[in-house]
Every structure is written in structure tokens, then in C-alpha cells.
């Protein structure tokens, strides 16, 4: 009876640990796309920055902002907009490597962290993602930046965001979709 009681307690502890893991994962996952959310992204960036500092691995950051997303929601409804977000998430996730991190950090903003990715690898990854988006008819403004060991990932994130914003401004100025 003592062994049965102990076994039951152990099983309950395992069940509780699994529930905790699931709730922590849910807290870091975007429910619509299944990608990391802002909280999950922040945690992943923190962990990757520590690894990059420790081992000297290069990394890149890509920002993706869907063009005319508000117009899509206004013209076709939010259910259609959600489907576009899900499709974009799938395209981005499939365009990058399994080791890379992908997050939806805002309404129609996605970000990719290319881990252990040098300049040539980052450019190839970026071009692949652009080609996949274009091939699926998804217009997006994008930005790419490399992690500089002196300034870290947060500076690369800010630089990629600025590049994406500049592409968005150019796209609006010409009133044409940004090249995907």
C-alpha cells in the first residue's frame, strides 16, 4: 500500500509538471498561428543572446510586416484576415530552417531569428523567405539585420525593424506592393 501511494504521488507530480509545461508553452504561443508570441519571442531572444555571447555564434533578425492588412480586414472581414495571417505564418515557418525561431509579435508583424547564421547564410535565408512569400502572393515589407557582437541581438532587432519600416514607407509612397 505504501508503494502504491508513492507511485500515485509520483504520477500526480508528473501530471502537474506536464500541465505546468503546457501552460508555460501556451503563455508563449500565439493562438492563431501557433508561432511564438511577443512573450515567447522575448524569452527566446534572451536565451539566444546568452548563447551567442558565450559561443560567438552569428545570428540575424528578419522583420516581416504584411502590406495592406487593414485593407484586407476591412474589405473581406476578420475571418479572411485571420486566414491570411495563418497562411503567412506557415509560409514564413516553412521558408526558414528548423533551428530558426519565428514569432508573431504584433497584428500583422512577424519576426525571424536566424540562429548560428552568418552573413551569407542570412542573405540566402532572407531571399528564400522573400521568394516563398512572393510565390504565395503575400505582399510584405521586410528588413534584415545581423547581430553585431558589440551591440547584441536587441540592436539587430531594432535595425531590422527600421529597415522594414523604411520599406513600408517606400511602399506607401509609391502606392505599390513592396517587393516580396
Amino acid at each position: 500500500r505504501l508503494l502504491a501511494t508513492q507511485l500515485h504521488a509520483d504520477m500526480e507530480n508528473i501530471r502537474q509538471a506536464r500541465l505546468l509545461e503546457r501552460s508555460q508553452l501556451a503563455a508563449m504561443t500565439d493562438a492563431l498561428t501557433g508561432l511564438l508570441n511577443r512573450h515567447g519571442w522575448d524569452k527566446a531572444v534572451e536565451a539566444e543572446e546568452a548563447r551567442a555571447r558565450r559561443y560567438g555564434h552569428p545570428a540575424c533578425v528578419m522583420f516581416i510586416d504584411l502590406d495592406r492588412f487593414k485593407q484586407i480586414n476591412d474589405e473581406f472581414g476578420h475571418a479572411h484576415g485571420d486566414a491570411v495571417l495563418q497562411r503567412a505564418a506557415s509560409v514564413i515557418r516553412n521558408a526558414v530552417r528548423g533551428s530558426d525561431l519565428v514569432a508573431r509579435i504584433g497584428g500583422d508583424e512577424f519576426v525571424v531569428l536566424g540562429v548560428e547564421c552568418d552573413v551569407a547564410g542570412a542573405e540566402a535565408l532572407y531571399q528564400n523567405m522573400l521568394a516563398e512569400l512572393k510565390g504565395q502572393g503575400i505582399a510584405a515589407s521586410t528588413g534584415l539585420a545581423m547581430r553585431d557582437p558589440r551591440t547584441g541581438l536587441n540592436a539587430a532587432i531594432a535595425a531590422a525593424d527600421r529597415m522594414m519600416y523604411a520599406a513600408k514607407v517606400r511602399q506607401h509612397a509609391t502606392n505599390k506592393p513592396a517587393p516580396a
Side-chain angles (χ1 to χ4, degrees):
R1 187 187 299 218
L2 182 58
L3 285 174
T5 302
Q6 183 62 44
L7 180 61
H8 179 68
D10 289 346
M11 296 292 284
E12 181 59 22
N13 286 340
I14 290 169
R15 188 181 76 74
Q16 290 295 326
R18 285 186 181 147
L19 285 174
L20 179 61
E21 286 173 13
R22 284 187 196 127
S23 67
Q24 288 172 337
L25 182 60
M28 294 191 299
T29 304
D30 175 58
L32 181 65
T33 63
L35 300 176
L36 291 173
N37 62 17
R38 171 65 85 166
H39 177 65
W41 169 255
D42 290 342
K43 291 286 190 189
V45 166
E46 182 181 314
E48 187 56 34
E49 177 60 30
R51 263 191 298 280
R53 261 189 274 119
R54 187 177 316 117
Y55 300 113
H57 295 306
C60 70
V61 177
M62 293 178 261
F63 256 81
I64 303 101
D65 186 276
L66 304 184
D67 291 337
R68 299 178 311 280
F69 186 71
K70 181 181 180 335
Q71 182 181 352
I72 290 168
N73 273 337
D74 290 349
E75 287 184 25
F76 303 105
H78 290 279
H80 182 79
D82 286 351
V84 169
L85 289 172
Q86 290 168 327
R87 193 171 99 231
S90 179
V91 168
I92 294 166
R93 183 179 27 236
N94 292 331
V96 300
R97 305 165 305 169
S99 59
D100 298 326
L101 301 171
V102 183
R104 177 179 170 219
I105 59 168
D108 63 342
E109 283 191 346
F110 298 87
V111 65
V112 175
L113 175 59
V115 299
E116 297 183 30
C117 193
D118 62 13
V119 173
E123 186 61 31
L125 193 63
Y126 185 63
Q127 292 304 320
N128 185 57
M129 184 194 60
L130 293 177
E132 292 294 324
L133 287 168
K134 185 175 183 179
Q136 292 295 316
I138 299 171
S141 298
T142 61
L144 168 68
M146 294 300 299
R147 177 189 178 274
D148 182 322
R150 295 167 296 181
T151 56
L153 277 173
N154 285 328
I157 291 166
D161 188 30
R162 283 191 305 275
M163 290 179 69
M164 179 274 301
Y165 183 73
K168 181 72 70 181
V169 168
R170 284 191 307 274
Q171 186 266 335
H172 282 291
T174 60
N175 202 19
K176 295 178 185 173

